[in-house]
């Protein structure tokens, strides 16, 4: 009977074997496409959820330029002309107070395209980079095989997204947001979120470790690489991802 230490030592290899065998399924391509769709939708919803987090945690009035008032140069020219349609608009105050949480929520909704377009773009770039790495290591798979591996690996991004939203919500819920202007408010929010970089970095490290396992197993199955060569390629990309996460 193997010792507990020996069983623990064999666990990584066993996990890699299971992942490699899973890529041999005829449904692996469908799984990759489904994962891409789920992550794209999940990221888009996550952007909306970030706006909801701002709205729920930032209860502050800030002073902003009145969008209904024409520019000062226009008012100087036409503001005193009673026949001008701009006269009434120029009587509006130059600045007004708005709810910061609502403004941030509306601003976040303007970035939905980052989820709809950004996730597929990341998938394409990662798949192509992964294919080049596999070819350099002596792999024999096709570009389509690399897209399948990247599709499987992208699923972990939902974990990082969920942890990120939770960390931001917690940080802002316990922060003293007191800025009365947009710049001051931004400084307060950035300072609060900076305090949550620890959990975010841990989540990134865990996610990258899972992606490493997926990539190694995928390269073994799809590109017929040895485990050592596959691990080398996966480690190269994992190191880059960790550096980007730490910045």
């Amino acid at each position: 009977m193997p010792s507990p230490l020996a069983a623990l030592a064999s666990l990584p290899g066993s996990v890699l074997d299971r992942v490699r065998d899973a890529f041999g399924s005829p449904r692996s391509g469908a799984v990759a496409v489904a994962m891409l769709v789920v992550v794209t939708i999940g990221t888009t919803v996550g952007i909306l959820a970030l706006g909801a987090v701002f709205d729920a945690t930032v209860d502050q009035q800030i002073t902003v330029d009145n969008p209904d008032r024409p520019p000062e140069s226009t008012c100087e020219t036409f503001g005193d002309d009673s026949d001008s349609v701009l006269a009434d608009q120029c009587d509006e105050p130059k600045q007004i107070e708005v709810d910061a949480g609502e403004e941030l929520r509306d601003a976040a909704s303007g970035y939905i395209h980052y989820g709809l377009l950004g996730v597929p773009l990341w998938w394409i770039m990662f798949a192509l980079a992964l294919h080049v790495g596999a070819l350099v290591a002596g792999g024999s798979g096709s570009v389509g095989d690399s897209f399948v591996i990247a599709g499987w690996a992208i699923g972990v991004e939902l974990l990082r997204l969920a942890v990120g939203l939770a960390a931001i919500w917690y940080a802002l819920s316990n922060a003293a947001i007191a800025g009365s202007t947009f710049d001051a408010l931004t400084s307060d929010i950035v300072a609060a979120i900076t305090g949550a970089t620890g959990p975010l970095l841990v989540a990134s490290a865990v996610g990258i470790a899972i992606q490493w396992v997926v990539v190694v197993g995928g390269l073994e199955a799809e590109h017929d690489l040895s485990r050592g060569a596959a691990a080398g390629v996966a480690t190269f990309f994992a190191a880059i991802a960790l550096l980007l996460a730490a910045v």
Side-chain angles (χ1 to χ4, degrees):
M1 180 178 179
S3 66
L5 184 60
L8 184 63
S10 65
L11 182 60
S14 177
V15 172
L16 287 171
D17 289 340
R18 289 178 178 273
V19 174
R20 180 197 61 206
D21 295 341
F23 272 100
S25 168
R27 295 176 295 181
S28 61
V31 171
V33 173
M35 194 68 71
L36 174 65
V37 173
V38 170
V39 175
T40 299
I41 295 174
T43 302
T44 303
V45 173
I47 293 172
L48 295 176
L50 178 61
V53 167
F54 285 139
D55 193 15
T57 57
V58 180
D59 185 17
Q60 182 73 11
Q61 296 289 315
I62 59 172
T63 302
V64 298
D65 292 336
N66 188 351
D68 295 328
R69 190 178 192 276
E72 189 62 30
S73 58
T74 302
C75 288
E76 289 178 356
T77 305
F78 301 102
D80 295 330
D81 186 354
S82 59
D83 295 329
S84 172
V85 295
L86 299 175
D88 290 339
Q89 294 179 354
C90 289
D91 289 336
E92 294 284 338
K94 294 181 180 180
Q95 293 185 316
I96 58 174
E97 286 193 347
V98 296
D99 185 278
E102 292 181 0
E103 290 294 306
L104 290 171
R105 180 197 61 201
D106 293 341
S109 65
Y111 290 90
I112 291 179
H113 59 283
Y114 279 93
L116 296 174
L117 300 177
V119 174
L121 181 61
W122 183 94
W123 174 58
I124 293 172
M125 293 176 61
F126 181 52
L128 294 177
L130 191 62
H131 188 68
V132 172
L135 290 179
V136 171
S140 58
S142 66
V143 175
D145 294 329
S146 297
F147 273 94
V148 170
I149 299 171
W152 280 49
I154 202 175
V156 184
E157 297 302 320
L158 288 180
L159 169 66
R160 298 170 67 177
L161 176 64
V163 173
L165 287 172
I168 292 173
W169 174 83
Y170 180 81
L172 293 180
S173 296
N174 293 276
I177 308 296
S180 59
T181 64
F182 187 78
D183 290 340
L185 180 75
T186 301
S187 298
D188 289 345
I189 292 176
V190 170
I193 295 177
T194 300
T197 53
L200 293 176
L201 188 57
V202 171
S204 293
V206 172
I208 291 169
I210 296 174
Q211 287 176 330
W212 183 89
V213 172
V214 171
V215 170
V216 171
L219 289 175
E220 284 189 79
E222 304 290 351
H223 285 277
D224 199 26
L225 288 176
S226 67
R227 180 153 297 176
V233 174
T235 301
F236 172 78
F237 288 109
I240 294 176
L242 278 173
L243 286 174
L244 293 175
V247 172

